[in-house]
Amino acid sequence: MTDHTPIPLRELRSDCSRCAGLCCVAHAFQRSSDFAYDKPAGTPCRNLQDDFLCSIHADLRTSGFTGCTVYECFGAGQFVTQQLFDGRTWRDEPGIAAEMFAMFGTMRGLHELLWHLTEALSIRAAAPLHDEIARLRDEVAEVREAGAGPAAQVLVGELLGRVSAVAREGLRGRQARGADLTGANLRRADLRGADLRGALLLGADLRGADLRVADLLGADVRGARLDGADLTDALFLTPPQVASARGDGTTRLPDGLDAPAHW
């Protein structure tokens, strides 16, 4: 029988204390409202310390680095550093830097797939699909262990679509997949069971909205107001999405997701 034991979420969340500051080096960023200056890929951020921690971590948002506060590697950083490179770092061995940074990008994609598949295994309504989900999760994990690329991405997307359909069956929620709802007034809207996959919800007013069992896979919720919104059973919501939105103490989130410090 296929093992349905979920991967501990702590393995799929960033642990900077076990990483070599990979997100602070590998990625490029441009001066904008999210970043205070231009940085090319492969160059350490000026705020990265010798211990691979951020010197302004507590003040990122007030220092012009809000982009950092909404980033999540899903545990790829520590996996690459500790598992694939046995604790070696790009700083101590410059010759491995390019390979390490490339692997980090690949692993982040795989870890995000594992996050979604792990969530899918916790959805009771999708129990008839749990064996298939577990098998695909194990395949993605094997690819990860081999340090290979996200070959299963299309398969995962298709399977999550079926999981979503089963979970939302009978709710007759709003169909707005990929819709442009930028700045939309959806305050107190009944969006239970809605298909909002890939929807643009930038700056939307979702205060008090019912988003239970709504599919939010890939939805762009940057700046969306979530004060008082109910997302307790929202499907495929990720930490970066939560961090990019604007909520408060009355926002109800799914199990495993915490309100960010800046709310």
Side-chain angles (χ1 to χ4, degrees), residues 169-230:
E169 186 175 4
L171 293 176
R172 298 182 180 179
R174 179 171 179 168
Q175 302 301 302
R177 177 176 296 207
D180 188 349
L181 298 170
T182 301
N185 181 7
L186 297 168
R187 191 169 185 176
R188 299 191 183 90
D190 182 2
L191 295 171
R192 188 178 184 192
D195 185 354
L196 295 168
R197 181 175 294 209
L200 298 178
L201 289 159
L202 290 86
D205 187 350
L206 290 160
R207 287 176 289 177
D210 187 349
L211 287 153
R212 289 174 293 170
V213 205
D215 186 342
L216 291 166
L217 183 68
D220 192 337
V221 294
R222 285 177 292 170
R225 294 291 301 274
L226 295 175
D227 317 47
D230 190 350

Side-chain angles (χ1 to χ4, degrees), residues 79-149:
F79 180 78
V80 170
T81 302
Q82 302 300 331
Q83 301 297 318
L84 298 184
F85 284 85
D86 299 317
R88 298 150 64 205
T89 76
W90 53 270
R91 182 174 281 157
D92 295 330
E93 300 180 47
I96 68 172
E99 180 184 3
M100 196 173 196
F101 300 156
M103 191 62 68
F104 173 61
T106 298
M107 290 301 113
R108 187 194 179 280
L110 287 173
H111 275 233
E112 186 169 3
L113 296 182
L114 288 172
W115 172 281
H116 289 311
L117 289 168
T118 298
E119 177 188 341
L121 280 175
S122 72
I123 299 173
R124 292 183 182 179
L129 298 171
H130 280 182
D131 280 347
E132 187 175 353
I133 296 166
R135 282 195 299 270
L136 187 52
R137 179 202 62 181
D138 292 345
E139 289 177 17
V140 174
E142 289 175 5
V143 170
R144 177 187 73 152
E145 295 293 334

Side-chain angles (χ1 to χ4, degrees), residues 8-23 72-88 100 104 107-108 111 144:
L9 284 180
R10 65 177 179 275
E11 293 186 16
L12 299 174
R13 294 298 301 267
S14 55
D15 182 352
C16 299
S17 68
R18 299 171 56 216
C19 181
L22 296 182
C23 67
E72 173 61 55
C73 75
F74 296 97
Q78 65 260 27
F79 180 78
V80 170
T81 302
Q82 302 300 331
Q83 301 297 318
L84 298 184
F85 284 85
D86 299 317
R88 298 150 64 205
M100 196 173 196
F104 173 61
M107 290 301 113
R108 187 194 179 280
H111 275 233
R144 177 187 73 152

